[in-house]
Amino acid sequence: MLGRRLFSTETASKLIGVVGGGQMGTGIAFVGALRAQSKVLVVDGNATQLDKSSSFMDSLLSKQVQKGLLTEVQAKEVKSRVRFSSKIEDLSSADFCIEAVSENTELKQNVFRALDKVAGPDTILATNTSSISITKIAAVTSRPEKVIGMHFFYPVPVLELVEIVKGLATAQTTVDKTVQLARAMGKTTTNALDVPGFISNRILMPYINEAFLTLQENIGTPEDIDTTMKLGTNVPMGPLTLADFIGLDTCLNIMRVLHENLGSDKYAPAPLLIKYVDAGWLGRKTGRGVFSYAAAIKK
């Protein structure tokens, strides 16, 4: 079922810009085009990544067709609303920009410096950060009142939540427009203070980190740990499987943000988590994390 349009028919040419063609960015573009029925421009400096983004978009639409949620004609219509570019300057006509690059403060600040230069003066600049200070990101722009956190959850087409995070200078009108966009994308929103990890990762990442400490101390096997938490707390997957799903490098980056900014040893990353990342065992995306996914990747 197609979602309601974010913009009125008189302004249907308006554009959502997404910076970052990874799975998060592509997922955001997908819900923008499908549910908000908006035109979307995905920007990534890596041409290979843009090709992957386009292919991933096709696979998402194909699943919608297979499930009977879209017809082939509707799927083509949705895809026609999405464009891909390697030039951030092409976002000059975007009315709302969402950054979805890796969880690295310097990288995100560099993206926002560039967006601030090319985007129109009324354009809202949102970050999909899962732990980094919105205020710190906004400080590198000339429009901190128009900078906001818009934390989507992976996989974006499936999970319903968007965490809305105001920076110190974020205007209420920016919040209102961001909530409007999130709801047009079919999302439920929550509001969180601009503190490390916000609500979700302030709770989730220490839980995952503790699972690594439990594994490190041989209190249980990976299977025992995950089965205990999955069946004992009625969650869809155990913490170690979830970490592999998120990406162990992402989990480690968030734990480091929590540890550095909150200053408590309870947020210190588990040595075993660090070791896995150093080994390149990052989870499903590399075929190996706590568990092996080589067979799944071959398929």
Side-chain angles (χ1 to χ4, degrees):
M1 181 178 178
L2 292 174
R4 59 187 176 84
R5 187 182 296 277
L6 168 64
F7 303 113
S8 67
T9 53
E10 290 80 8
T11 57
S13 63
K14 290 201 172 184
L15 179 68
I16 298 170
V18 177
V19 181
Q23 292 189 336
M24 286 299 297
T26 306
I28 293 168
F30 174 77
V31 295
L34 173 66
R35 297 174 186 159
Q37 300 182 47
S38 298
K39 291 184 177 181
V40 183
L41 176 61
V42 179
V43 173
D44 195 299
N46 186 324
T48 300
Q49 189 60 56
L50 287 175
D51 290 339
K52 290 181 180 179
S53 178
S54 181
S55 296
F56 184 40
M57 180 79 68
D58 290 338
S59 70
L60 291 173
L61 289 168
S62 178
K63 289 178 182 178
Q64 295 285 308
V65 173
Q66 291 170 10
K67 293 176 181 178
L69 300 174
L70 291 176
T71 65
E72 290 281 1
V73 172
Q74 288 173 324
K76 289 180 180 179
E77 179 188 347
V78 173
K79 184 63 183 294
S80 72
R81 290 197 281 269
V82 183
R83 294 189 296 117
F84 300 87
S85 173
S86 60
K87 299 178 180 179
I88 200 166
E89 294 81 7
D90 289 344
L91 292 173
S92 60
S93 59
D95 301 279
F96 199 110
C97 290
I98 304 171
E99 164 271 311
V101 302
S102 299
E103 192 72 354
N104 176 282
T105 302
E106 183 177 359
L107 176 59
K108 289 182 183 292
Q109 287 178 327
N110 286 339
V111 169
F112 271 76
R113 287 188 183 97
L115 285 174
D116 191 41
K117 291 178 181 177
V118 303
D122 296 325
T123 302
I124 291 172
L125 308 181
T127 173
N128 183 49
T129 181
S130 54
S131 61
I132 298 170
S133 168
I134 308 305
T135 300
K136 184 179 289 187
I137 293 173
V140 303
T141 75
S142 62
R143 64 181 87 190
E145 74 284 356
K146 294 186 180 299
V147 176
I148 193 167
M150 196 178 190
H151 179 207
F152 291 82
F153 292 75
Y154 180 80
V156 177
V158 177
L159 296 189
E160 298 179 4
L161 182 66
V162 172
E163 240 179 342
I164 304 295
V165 188
K166 291 175 60 176
L168 184 63
T170 305
Q172 186 58 43
T173 53
T174 298
V175 175
D176 294 342
K177 290 178 181 178
T178 303
V179 169
Q180 180 190 11
L181 173 56
R183 289 178 178 171
M185 290 176 166
K187 303 299 184 182
T188 298
T189 61
T190 57
N191 299 304
L193 287 178
D194 186 19
V195 295
F198 315 133
I199 295 172
S200 57
N201 284 321
R202 181 69 173 267
I203 298 170
L204 176 62
M205 286 303 153
Y207 163 68
I208 287 175
N209 196 57
E210 194 65 34
F212 274 91
L213 290 171
T214 302
L215 179 61
Q216 179 180 304
E217 296 172 20
N218 296 313
I219 296 173
T221 66
E223 293 79 9
D224 287 336
I225 293 168
D226 272 12
T227 300
T228 297
M229 298 311 299
K230 180 179 177 181
L231 301 184
T233 62
N234 197 30
V235 292
M237 63 179 73
L240 299 174
T241 298
L242 178 57
D244 277 353
F245 193 75
I246 294 169
L248 302 192
D249 53 337
T250 299
C251 294
L252 178 56
N253 286 340
I254 295 171
M255 284 306 301
R256 283 174 168 160
V257 169
L258 293 174
H259 190 217
E260 291 169 8
N261 287 276
L262 296 175
S264 172
D265 286 344
K266 74 176 182 178
Y267 299 112
L272 185 60
L273 173 59
I274 297 172
K275 186 178 292 186
Y276 273 51
V277 173
D278 286 345
W281 295 1
L282 307 184
R284 291 182 63 92
K285 60 187 175 185
T286 59
R288 182 71 168 89
V290 178
F291 302 98
S292 175
Y293 304 92
I297 287 181
K298 287 180 181 178
K299 290 179 182 179

